[in-house]
Amino acid sequence: MTSVVGSTLSSPPAIHSPAKFGAPIATGASLSFSRPSSLSCRLLSSQHCFVVLPRRSRRLSSSFRCFSALSPELKTTIDKVVASNKVVLFMKGNKDFPQCGFSNTVVQILKSLNVPFETINILENELLRQGLKEYSSWPTFPQLYIDGEFFGGCDITVDAFKSGELQETLEKAMCS
């Protein structure tokens, strides 16, 4: 068994939310545990923290540091991308080849509105993918940004499209 921040994990860790640990792990906090390990590792993520946990082998006592996926450099880069495009969609795939049904739905909505938009494929860069979750405080993709502001994911975009709110927001953005 592995003791992690006051809780006990009885199986090899996969991706867990902070709730599984009893409390979120603060950025820069140390995490110590004793468990089997090997050269292969898994990425354990919480809302603001990633910890590489080794798998199978001999018992070792290890200490790992948590770090934020959203470095100052990555935040600056995302800020520039979001600010330099009226409409940008961070998605799985790109507008010509969406690799997820939710991403495809948002692409089709934007295309139907004849709005110029840029897409960024988050599958090409895991650090960008994790950093964007912190940047927007939104855990899933796609993520739509309009006029420098986070608009929402697929469900929010679909609802806003159906109500006409998306069209209004896009018209204001294109005129500013």
Side-chain angles (χ1 to χ4, degrees):
M1 288 208 201
T2 303
S3 178
V4 182
V5 190
S7 296
T8 301
L9 298 176
S10 57
S11 61
I15 298 187
H16 298 286
S17 68
K20 293 235 181 184
F21 297 113
I25 302 169
T27 302
S30 290
L31 174 68
S32 297
F33 64 96
S34 179
R35 64 168 278 119
S37 64
S38 76
L39 296 178
S40 62
C41 294
R42 287 186 174 181
L43 186 64
L44 172 69
S45 68
S46 68
Q47 185 176 359
H48 300 289
C49 174
F50 299 94
V51 181
V52 177
L53 295 178
R55 287 194 273 178
R56 299 181 209 118
S57 176
R58 292 182 217 137
R59 282 207 170 266
L60 296 174
S61 181
S62 303
S63 180
F64 295 92
R65 292 218 37 100
C66 292
F67 65 94
S68 172
L70 187 61
S71 67
E73 296 82 14
L74 181 56
K75 183 182 182 316
T76 300
T77 300
I78 296 170
D79 284 341
K80 287 178 184 176
V81 169
V82 168
S84 64
N85 295 287
K86 290 285 184 181
V87 181
V88 64
L89 181 64
F90 292 93
M91 61 179 282
K92 295 177 180 177
N94 60 52
K95 66 174 118 184
D96 298 322
F97 188 66
Q99 294 183 296
C100 152
F102 299 112
S103 294
N104 184 51
T105 298
V106 177
V107 166
Q108 295 310 314
I109 288 171
L110 295 173
K111 284 183 175 181
S112 76
L113 296 173
N114 293 318
V115 168
F117 66 100
E118 294 299 321
T119 58
I120 307 294
N121 184 356
I122 54 102
L123 296 176
E124 293 177 349
N125 186 319
E126 184 63 23
L127 195 57
L128 172 64
R129 183 178 180 172
Q130 298 305 326
L132 273 164
K133 292 176 183 183
E134 289 181 51
Y135 184 85
S136 64
S137 298
W138 193 258
T140 60
F141 292 95
Q143 293 183 7
L144 180 62
Y145 288 78
I146 301 173
D147 207 17
E149 297 290 324
F150 175 68
F151 186 80
C154 181
D155 291 346
I156 291 172
T157 302
V158 169
D159 290 346
F161 175 70
K162 288 177 181 177
S163 72
E165 178 191 352
L166 178 62
Q167 296 85 323
E168 291 175 23
T169 304
L170 289 168
E171 283 179 27
K172 289 177 188 174
M174 294 300 135
C175 293
S176 64

